[in-house]
Amino acid sequence: MKRYWMILLIWIGTFFGLQAPIEAQTGKDQMTVIVEIEGDPYERKEYIETYHPFVQVEFVYDTLLNALALKGKREDLIQLSQQTFIKVMHYVQTYRVPEPIGSTAFEEIPSPELNIPYTGEGVKVGVIDTGIDYRHPDLKENYKGGYDVVEFDEDPMETMPEDGMPTIHGTHVSGIIAAKGKRTGVAPDAEIYGYRALGPGGFGTSVQVIAALEKAVEDGMDIINLSLGNSVNSPDWPTSVAVNKAIDMGVAVVIANGNDGPGKWTVSSPATAVNAISVGASIDEGIIPFLEIPLMDKRISLSPLSGSVPWDIQKPYKLLDGGLGKKPLSSLEGALVLMKRGEISFGEKAKNAEEAGARGVIIYNHNEETFQGGLDTEVSIPVVSVSREDGEWLIEHVIEKNEWVYPAYEEISNDIADFSSRGPVVVNWDIKPDLVAPGVNITSTIPDGQYESLQGTSMAAPYVAGTAALIKEAHPDWGPEKIKAALLTTALPLKKEDGSLYDPIVQGVGRIQPEKAIDPPFLVYNSRLTFGKLTEKENRKKISLFIENRDHITRRFTFDYPERQNGLVWRLPGTLYIPPGETEEIEIELKADSDRLEKGLHQGWLSINSQDQTIQLPYIFVHETADYPRAGGLDFSFLPLKPDEYRFQIYLPEGADQLVVELYDPDTLQYQKTLIEEEDVRSGMYTQIFKRNTLGLSGNYLMLARVLSGSEYDSVFSRIYIDHGGS
């Protein structure tokens, strides 16, 4: 029952969208901030300890940042902030682990079995996540240490129920990499180090993530895994910059692409980092459940909730409407029940349905977004989710017409998971993900010596991190560039049912093939061909890629032209012969005829043939403009060092001709106030500070930001809270 108590607390937070404010993470009397400084950080630390004894220096950053983590009372920190050597407090972006997605498998998924004579021995892998239950029997042998940048100590234990909203994510990720016991990870002899950057409920900030990155680099990690993200699609967000710097210092960094698919532009920082290995989720093998309504030729896919028993319905059932699932419910004996999300938790809905005799529960969303969820209590009947559109269709065409639904199942393999976030990245139009890995129905370790099957790009990234550890053991002198090249050169592009390849922004170069990545005969560097933006004025771009022949023979390379496209001209090299041990630079040129080529996002594949194998290189470019989001990263929050001020920020990839920010009543949507109205806003992060006493508002509001750029219009919104008084 302890497991269900943990899941109860986890899902109370995720269901109601709770998040503690930054100050509350360290208590009312004490708070922790990270400030960027001028001068030697150790000299500044000594100064603070001498002249500001009530402020504690928790951590010194001198690798990726020149900064200090400070803990103390608000008034003491405000006094210290007047010192001239303190440049700025880093504005923070919230990071969190993606909501866990329930498994669709009927049986426990076996550990990966790789035909590789390497186990990751001697390779250090840092897991930046929610911590790790290093007492787990499958992890305790390989756990070697770490750090907690939430509590600033050397104990990166997962948040347990007695310490706040509990977490399981970091332990699950660690087991995929290096479990050694009942479960076997990809690299079962790798050394695991845990860096707890996300606290209770799986929440943290950019400063915590960067701090954990810095500590992991200082500790000499060979590989770092980050299965986390935020809402900003930006290549120059501070976390992305820090990731690239860590890679420059010799550490391979693997990052989950996110679970916000299947739409375009859904990848977020830090997976947007150019040099990182960003990972999407593929389906290795699985059985996907559906509902079928044969007379209407309709099939609806089902997503089991985390913590649910398997959906094993084998015969037709009547479907009844359970509303919001609140008591009292009429008898549901021998039927499936459809419920709407909202007001009470998923677990309470399921328990009420179980007590009313239902055979299974289907929950549909109350808005247009997709959702994943989990149960906060133990029930014996299966619980799944469907979209709002499918839920409303079931009410109109099945429940109101007294029809029955029929179970259906489909075996799938080597496919792309719908939830996997897609690229490209704004501004530089990079592909992302770099590749995909198994991320569906992945059974791994969770706290208290237990196991759970989850799915998400959070599960795909550690599969790649584990493979990178195997490569590092096989080639100790290889740095992050070669490790990434080995993974990408040997990946297998995945195909749709019609035989065509999935788009590059969906799968990158394709699905990881660990056995082939260990010792490839040749390596292709810069294999993701990102040409950026082509315009009438700048209609020609060149990209250089490099091929290294690791074989013992001279290899012959030829190029196949992509499928002919009106208005597009390629210039490719002729036949190449590269001797053993040599590296050849190759130039690929692309020219666009603006009068004949459609505007928008263009992507496809370029083939390289060498002896007995062909590899596919993905390419991408934007012609003139595309349907990318004009704004992201909307945030409105108080400044911990300046309690009478609020900071507004929004990320504008290419600036804006006009930016308008308005507040509305969240219940009636009645207009309240215009906060910002500006023209000709430059690209990047737009920030404005508001004095609390000048806002003239208090309470909950819906903030709407409208962005006009040329003829393109976009908008983003967020719920905010304004406290009108006090410090």
Side-chain angles (χ1 to χ4, degrees):
M1 289 300 295
K2 187 172 183 181
R3 167 177 172 242
Y4 287 97
W5 169 245
M6 292 178 64
I7 292 182
L8 165 65
L9 293 178
I10 291 169
W11 286 105
I12 286 174
T14 55
F15 175 78
F16 290 106
L18 301 179
Q19 178 184 353
I22 296 169
E23 181 184 359
Q25 295 172 5
T26 51
K28 285 290 184 181
D29 296 327
Q30 297 282 316
M31 58 186 296
T32 301
V33 297
I34 295 181
V35 292
E36 187 177 348
I37 62 171
E38 292 180 344
D40 184 282
Y42 293 96
E43 292 180 1
R44 301 309 187 195
K45 174 179 181 291
E46 184 177 349
Y47 171 86
I48 292 171
E49 290 174 340
T50 301
Y51 296 102
H52 294 268
F54 297 109
V55 174
Q56 183 178 350
V57 179
E58 292 278 354
F59 205 76
V60 177
Y61 305 96
D62 59 359
T63 305
L64 305 179
L65 291 176
N66 195 54
L68 300 171
L70 307 176
K71 183 177 182 179
K73 291 184 177 180
R74 180 193 296 272
E75 56 268 25
D76 294 327
L77 291 170
I78 292 174
Q79 182 181 6
L80 177 61
S81 69
Q82 307 306 312
Q83 296 295 324
T84 57
F85 66 80
I86 293 183
K87 294 167 57 178
V88 67
M89 180 188 67
H90 275 271
Y91 294 145
V92 299
Q93 178 74 15
T94 299
Y95 281 79
R96 66 156 301 168
V97 294
E99 292 183 30
I101 306 173
S103 169
T104 59
F106 295 108
E107 300 177 359
E108 183 176 282
I109 300 300
S111 298
E113 294 183 4
L114 303 177
N115 185 25
I116 296 173
Y118 300 101
T119 59
E121 185 175 2
V123 180
K124 295 182 176 181
V125 183
V127 179
I128 297 177
D129 213 287
T130 60
I132 176 174
D133 185 354
Y134 42 76
R135 306 164 302 181
H136 196 291
D138 291 10
L139 297 174
K140 61 183 181 181
E141 180 179 340
N142 292 342
Y143 172 76
K144 302 300 179 183
Y147 198 83
D148 185 338
V149 299
V150 178
E151 302 292 341
F152 290 98
D153 59 37
E154 296 183 355
D155 183 16
M157 173 61 74
E158 289 265 18
T159 303
M160 304 306 286
E162 59 269 22
D163 300 317
M165 195 179 297
T167 55
I168 63 174
H169 195 270
T171 303
H172 196 276
V173 166
S174 298
I176 296 171
I177 298 171
K180 189 176 184 180
K182 182 179 177 182
R183 306 293 306 174
T184 302
V186 178
D189 287 322
E191 299 177 5
I192 287 289
Y193 292 77
Y195 295 90
R196 182 173 177 251
L198 307 177
F203 290 100
T205 66
S206 53
V207 291
Q208 290 168 320
V209 173
I210 295 171
L213 266 170
E214 178 156 307
K215 190 68 171 67
V217 171
E218 292 173 352
D219 289 348
M221 295 301 108
D222 300 302
I223 317 291
I224 294 175
N225 185 91
L226 296 101
S227 290
L228 48 80
N230 65 15
S231 61
V232 180
N233 180 343
S234 162
D236 54 4
W237 192 256
T239 41
S240 298
V241 173
V243 163
N244 284 328
K245 187 168 182 182
I247 295 168
D248 290 342
M249 297 177 71
V251 184
V253 182
V254 182
I255 307 176
N257 217 54
N259 293 350
D260 295 321
K264 298 177 183 177
W265 315 101
T266 49
V267 60
S268 63
S269 177
T272 52
V274 173
N275 297 325
I277 303 169
S278 304
V279 186
S282 64
I283 303 172
D284 191 14
E285 291 182 351
I287 301 175
I288 306 300
F290 295 87
L291 286 182
E292 282 190 343
I293 300 87
L295 294 178
M296 301 182 186
D297 195 25
K298 179 74 172 181
R299 172 179 274 200
I300 294 174
S301 62
L302 307 174
S303 298
L305 270 65
S306 179
S308 168
V309 298
W311 179 270
D312 59 355
I313 304 297
Q314 298 297 324
K315 65 179 185 178
Y317 280 100
K318 190 173 183 179
L319 184 64
L320 301 178
D321 187 357
L324 289 167
K326 296 189 292 185
K327 289 184 176 181
L329 290 175
S330 58
S331 174
L332 302 173
E333 195 69 37
L336 300 178
V337 60
L338 179 69
M339 295 178 174
K340 186 176 183 179
R341 183 186 187 185
E343 295 196 19
I344 61 175
S345 71
F346 303 133
E348 189 174 351
K349 293 176 188 290
K351 195 67 176 177
N352 293 342
E354 180 184 39
E355 292 173 354
R359 292 299 307 272
V361 179
I362 303 167
I363 300 175
Y364 70 98
N365 211 359
H366 48 41
N367 56 42
E368 299 298 335
E369 300 175 357
T370 59
F371 77 97
Q372 303 93 35
L375 300 181
D376 52 17
T377 189
E378 186 174 3
V379 294
S380 61
I381 59 175
V383 185
V384 297
S385 68
V386 297
S387 68
R388 174 181 174 178
E389 179 183 1
D390 286 339
E392 292 176 346
W393 188 94
L394 287 169
I395 290 175
E396 181 180 355
H397 297 280
V398 176
I399 294 176
E400 292 181 357
K401 295 182 180 180
N402 205 28
E403 297 285 349
W404 287 46
V405 292
Y406 294 72
Y409 301 92
E410 182 179 326
E411 293 188 23
I412 54 175
S413 63
N414 283 337
D415 205 345
I416 299 294
D418 279 348
F419 59 76
S420 185
S421 290
R422 273 63 163 167
V425 181
V426 297
V427 181
N428 65 1
W429 320 113
D430 200 1
I431 290 173
K432 298 296 179 179
D434 293 279
L435 77 171
V436 296
V440 175
N441 302 337
I442 307 300
T443 304
S444 185
T445 50
I446 63 171
D448 292 330
Q450 299 183 64
Y451 305 87
E452 183 75 68
S453 185
L454 299 175
Q455 50 196 41
T457 58
S458 288
M459 286 67 248
Y463 190 99
V464 174
T467 304
L470 303 178
I471 297 173
K472 185 68 175 179
E473 181 194 358
H475 308 281
D477 59 328
W478 281 18
E481 185 180 22
K482 275 202 170 183
I483 292 173
K484 182 174 182 177
L487 290 166
L488 270 59
T489 302
T490 57
L492 173 69
L494 298 182
K495 296 180 179 180
K496 305 175 187 177
E497 289 185 3
D498 62 5
S500 63
L501 293 174
Y502 278 101
D503 287 337
I505 63 169
V506 174
Q507 65 169 323
V509 297
R511 186 185 186 278
I512 187 174
Q513 297 191 96
E515 291 90 347
K516 294 185 177 182
I518 294 296
D519 195 27
F522 62 91
L523 297 173
V524 180
Y525 300 91
N526 197 27
S527 58
R528 292 165 20 262
L529 305 177
T530 302
F531 290 94
K533 180 179 285 191
L534 297 178
T535 64
E536 186 175 358
K537 292 183 179 179
E538 190 178 3
N539 66 346
R540 189 191 305 260
K541 290 285 182 70
K542 295 179 181 179
I543 287 181
S544 290
L545 58 85
F546 299 83
I547 301 179
E548 177 186 350
N549 182 11
R550 301 185 61 251
D551 213 339
H552 62 281
I553 61 171
T554 296
R555 295 190 71 95
R556 175 177 177 265
F557 294 89
T558 60
F559 290 79
D560 292 339
Y561 279 83
E563 183 178 342
R564 184 177 179 83
Q565 186 175 354
N566 192 32
L568 207 59
V569 178
W570 291 88
R571 181 172 294 174
L572 304 177
T575 301
L576 298 172
Y577 294 90
I578 304 180
E582 297 292 322
T583 300
E584 186 82 19
E585 180 178 1
I586 298 168
E587 193 174 78
I588 297 176
E589 184 177 15
L590 180 63
K591 181 182 178 181
D593 184 340
S594 294
D595 293 332
R596 300 167 58 206
L597 185 65
E598 289 185 10
K599 293 181 180 180
L601 182 69
H602 295 261
Q603 55 184 321
W605 300 87
L606 179 71
S607 300
I608 298 182
N609 309 295
S610 179
Q611 262 83 337
D612 57 347
Q613 67 183 106
T614 297
I615 67 169
Q616 302 284 349
L617 304 184
Y619 72 83
I620 191 171
F621 68 92
V622 169
H623 182 226
E624 297 291 350
T625 187
D627 60 345
Y628 66 91
R630 265 62 183 178
L634 180 65
D635 182 63
F636 187 82
S637 56
F638 73 93
L639 299 181
L641 289 182
K642 297 181 179 180
D644 292 325
E645 295 182 355
Y646 280 90
R647 171 188 54 88
F648 168 87
Q649 71 176 22
I650 189 170
Y651 184 76
L652 305 172
E654 292 194 317
D657 295 330
Q658 185 181 55
L659 170 65
V660 178
V661 180
E662 298 169 329
L663 298 182
Y664 292 84
D665 184 292
D667 298 318
T668 65
L669 299 183
Q670 184 176 356
Y671 167 82
Q672 300 293 310
K673 185 171 186 176
T674 298
L675 285 185
I676 297 171
E677 191 168 5
E678 282 205 29
E679 297 183 352
D680 299 325
V681 183
R682 63 181 179 83
S683 62
M685 185 61 69
Y686 174 91
T687 301
Q688 186 164 324
I689 304 298
F690 292 92
K691 293 288 186 181
R692 186 201 303 262
N693 57 12
T694 63
L695 288 171
L697 298 168
S698 180
N700 293 299
Y701 296 92
L702 183 70
M703 172 176 282
L704 175 68
R706 295 184 285 112
V707 177
L708 179 66
S709 181
S711 60
E712 303 293 334
Y713 167 84
D714 207 348
S715 63
V716 291
F717 68 90
S718 177
R719 290 181 179 272
I720 67 169
Y721 177 76
I722 298 175
D723 182 6
H724 63 79
S727 59

